[in-house]
Amino acid sequence: MRKDIIQKNIKKFMIFLIILLVIITIVIGILKLIYRNKEREGDYVRLETVTPMFSENFFRKYNGEVSKEDILNSITEFIYYIMDNKQELTKLNQEELIQKYHENEEYFKTIGFASVEDFVTIIGVIQRIDIDELDFSYASFEVNTIENLKDKTLVNLSLKFVNANEITLKLQVEKKSQEEIIHISY
């Protein structure tokens, strides 16, 4: 008799454990399913210096006197100018862009906008991006486009912002140190 009661209690306990394991497995599966489809949200971290992909290949072929740090700092300032001013720039028409360029011409030349035409063209491309705030994803030197000329080196520079198509620009890097070491055009 006592043996029967113990066996019944063991059976009940085993059934309880199996049901508990099934419930735990289902809950874990549902939680994994819910969180697997959610995009990770985090704070955007702004790099001190943007280093484009394949920069080591570019700098191996670049034989000018401008330092790598100066070139990367200018590219970084160019990218961050676009990001920081996207909303303001989107509201400006062509005449206002021309005026803005002339008001800050020296600064724009140091970050790569060599001419008002390049500024208007590139900002026009940025204005067509249907996002109010740009988050930088990556930059990349297109190594198969590197051209070493007498006084400058040319390469295509691709910029990618989160949720936007990649933009490919032409980057011209001076070989001699001067105030304007890069020129960026579209």
Side-chain angles (χ1 to χ4, degrees):
M1 182 114 150
R2 205 168 150 96
K3 193 174 183 181
D4 287 340
I5 295 174
I6 292 175
Q7 284 181 347
K8 283 182 181 180
N9 285 340
I10 290 176
K11 285 182 184 180
K12 287 179 185 178
F13 183 71
M14 294 298 272
I15 292 172
F16 173 75
L17 280 179
I18 292 172
I19 292 172
L20 184 64
L21 283 173
V22 169
I23 291 172
I24 290 173
T25 305
I26 291 172
V27 169
I28 290 172
I30 290 172
L31 289 174
K32 280 185 177 182
L33 185 64
I34 289 171
Y35 288 108
R36 178 180 57 170
N37 295 330
K38 283 191 177 181
E39 186 175 330
R40 290 185 183 201
E41 292 184 20
D43 294 330
Y44 177 75
V45 177
R46 189 172 184 136
L47 302 171
E48 189 173 314
T49 303
V50 173
T51 303
M53 293 186 292
F54 309 113
S55 60
E56 63 280 346
N57 293 349
F58 173 77
F59 287 110
R60 245 185 268 127
K61 292 182 180 183
Y62 172 74
N63 57 3
E65 62 185 46
V66 180
S67 74
K68 174 181 178 178
E69 290 77 23
D70 288 343
I71 294 168
L72 294 178
N73 286 337
S74 294
I75 292 170
T76 301
E77 282 190 51
F78 173 84
I79 292 168
Y80 288 154
Y81 173 78
I82 290 170
M83 288 174 55
D84 294 342
N85 297 285
K86 165 70 166 94
Q87 290 180 357
E88 175 194 347
L89 293 170
T90 299
K91 298 174 186 173
L92 301 178
N93 62 33
Q94 187 169 355
E95 292 79 30
E96 292 169 324
L97 287 173
I98 292 169
Q99 180 182 352
K100 184 166 192 66
Y101 181 84
H102 289 302
E103 289 171 359
N104 301 297
E105 188 169 359
E106 291 304 312
Y107 171 71
F108 287 135
K109 285 185 176 185
T110 62
I111 65 169
F113 293 111
S115 68
V116 67
E117 293 83 12
D118 289 336
F119 180 74
V120 170
T121 304
I122 292 170
I123 298 305
V125 171
I126 299 303
Q127 287 175 333
R128 288 191 292 273
I129 297 174
D130 195 25
I131 301 170
D132 288 337
E133 291 189 28
L134 296 176
D135 287 330
F136 180 68
S137 182
Y138 66 84
S140 174
F141 287 126
E142 304 299 326
V143 263
N144 59 341
T145 65
I146 298 173
E147 272 185 75
N148 259 319
L149 304 177
K150 181 180 176 186
D151 57 343
K152 58 189 153 208
T153 301
L154 307 172
V155 65
N156 285 354
L157 174 67
S158 295
L159 302 178
K160 176 76 170 97
F161 297 98
V162 176
N163 297 324
N165 292 331
E166 189 174 76
I167 301 169
T168 302
L169 303 169
K170 295 175 185 354
L171 173 66
Q172 188 176 304
V173 181
E174 297 297 322
K175 290 192 176 180
K176 297 206 180 286
S177 282
Q178 55 188 16
E179 211 171 305
E180 301 141 20
I181 57 174
I182 66 169
H183 303 283
I184 299 175
S185 59
Y186 185 70

